Structures are given as C-alpha cells and as structure tokens.
Amino acid sequence: MFEKQQKLDVTADELAVIQAALHTQAKILNVQASAGGNAARRRLNEVKRALARISQQVEGTSPTGYRRFMGWFGFSRASG
C-alpha cells in the first residue's frame, strides 16, 4: 500500500471535528457491517485506519491540553 502522502495545514479544532465525524461514520458502518454488509466492513476498516493515523499524529504533535481533551472525548465515546 504505497499511497502518496500530502501534508495538510489544519488547526486542532478542525482536526477534532474530523475525528468526531470519523467516529460517527465508524458507528454507522459498524451497524451496517453487523447486518452483513461486506462493503461496509471494508469501509469501516479504512475509517479505523484513518482514525489510528490521525490519533498517532495528534499524540506526537499536540499540546498537552489538547491531548487531555481528546482523551476525555474518547472516554465519553466509550462510556456512552
């Protein structure tokens, strides 16, 4: 998988919106995949990979407060 990488200039707030949207998309795809949608399962895996890459980037370059916020966001998602 040799995809061309491109740098984007996004703010922490914009990145948080993107992550939230991807989490929502993952929830929708998870429901579709559990109903037997193979295409949804493939897309869900793509979304999860994208979220993992974004999380790695955020952890490596973000200020401590932003990381704390995203940790809380992840906790609130898992609990509800």
Side-chain angles (χ1 to χ4, degrees), residues 23 28 39 42 49 52 54 64-65 72 74:
H23 282 292
I28 293 167
R42 282 190 300 275
R49 279 192 298 272
I54 290 171
T64 305
W72 178 85

Side-chain angles (χ1 to χ4, degrees), residues 37-49:
N38 290 331
R41 174 69 55 198
R42 282 190 300 275
R43 185 68 179 151
L44 176 61
N45 290 333
E46 292 172 1
V47 169
K48 285 182 177 181
R49 279 192 298 272

Side-chain angles (χ1 to χ4, degrees), residues 31-75:
V31 170
Q32 292 175 344
S34 66
N38 290 331
R41 174 69 55 198
R42 282 190 300 275
R43 185 68 179 151
L44 176 61
N45 290 333
E46 292 172 1
V47 169
K48 285 182 177 181
R49 279 192 298 272
L51 278 168
R53 284 188 54 103
I54 290 171
S55 294
Q56 288 173 350
Q57 296 293 321
V58 167
E59 289 174 6
T61 61
S62 66
T64 305
Y66 180 69
R67 266 187 276 175
R68 217 176 300 132
F69 168 75
M70 289 311 292
W72 178 85
F73 180 73
F75 174 74

